[in-house]
Amino acid sequence: MELFNKEGHLTDEGLRAVVDGTLDEMGRLEASEHLSFCDSCLVRYTELLADDTLLVPEMPLTPTVLARVRRRAVRVFFNRYTRVAAVAAFAVVLWGTGVFNSLVPDRTIRQQEPARITAPISAATRVNDFFRSAGDSISAAITNILPRADAAPADAK
């Protein structure tokens, strides 16, 4: 039996032997390797396999499977969106009772003073103002700490 023809494709007889399983080990390996890269032989092979009768279930499965999918989709929808609705309702209740207002400082709108026209401030002036305010803050912190440090040893005795 010839497995391959002159062009290097599987013969009809060779394909039937592959489908029937009558080839030896070496022939099966050569045929499977050829089918892995030759599209035309693979098409012919699948046409031979398509003639087989498929098993049909006693009861149709489509309606029961679709019903289960629908029930699962409804369950997922309600589980997901009931949580979202509950959280949104809880947030609205907290907002309505004013709980969030106690967390945020009072931001009432104050009357703003009219802007004064001043000369532009130079970078050197801004740097000097920054260091002056930083020095004032440090000296205020030191003056607050020194009386406490002087009082601490007296309390310990």
Side-chain angles (χ1 to χ4, degrees), residues 15-79:
L15 279 174
R16 275 192 227 96
V18 170
V19 171
D20 296 340
T22 57
L23 286 178
D24 60 343
E25 185 70 28
M26 187 58 124
R28 276 191 312 223
L29 287 173
E30 288 176 350
S32 63
E33 181 184 2
H34 181 75
L35 288 172
S36 69
F37 66 85
C38 182
D39 291 335
S40 63
C41 289
L42 185 63
V43 167
R44 289 176 40 221
Y45 176 69
T46 53
E47 286 173 355
L48 282 175
L49 289 178
D51 291 339
D52 291 345
T53 307
L54 300 175
L55 295 177
V56 179
E58 295 174 12
M59 295 175 40
L61 298 175
T62 307
T64 57
V65 170
L66 289 178
R68 289 181 68 190
V69 168
R70 283 188 200 108
R71 281 195 307 261
R72 176 77 176 149
V74 168
R75 190 177 316 130
V76 166
F77 176 79
F78 280 115
N79 284 345

Side-chain angles (χ1 to χ4, degrees), residues 27-147:
R28 276 191 312 223
L29 287 173
E30 288 176 350
S32 63
E33 181 184 2
H34 181 75
L35 288 172
S36 69
F37 66 85
C38 182
D39 291 335
S40 63
C41 289
L42 185 63
V43 167
R44 289 176 40 221
Y45 176 69
T46 53
E47 286 173 355
L48 282 175
L49 289 178
D51 291 339
D52 291 345
T53 307
L54 300 175
L55 295 177
V56 179
E58 295 174 12
M59 295 175 40
L61 298 175
T62 307
T64 57
V65 170
L66 289 178
R68 289 181 68 190
V69 168
R70 283 188 200 108
R71 281 195 307 261
R72 176 77 176 149
V74 168
R75 190 177 316 130
V76 166
F77 176 79
F78 280 115
N79 284 345
R80 181 175 297 155
Y81 292 112
T82 52
R83 269 189 233 136
V84 170
V87 168
F90 188 64
V92 167
V93 167
L94 289 177
W95 186 21
T97 58
V99 171
F100 295 129
N101 291 338
S102 64
L103 299 175
V104 179
D106 186 25
R107 293 183 184 224
T108 57
I109 299 174
R110 297 186 180 100
Q111 192 69 15
Q112 293 182 351
E113 298 178 15
R116 298 181 210 161
I117 299 175
T118 58
I121 300 173
S122 68
T125 306
R126 287 185 182 176
V127 170
N128 286 338
D129 289 343
F130 170 74
F131 282 116
R132 187 176 303 116
S133 66
D136 292 343
S137 299
I138 292 171
S139 64
I142 290 173
T143 55
N144 285 336
I145 292 173
L146 286 179

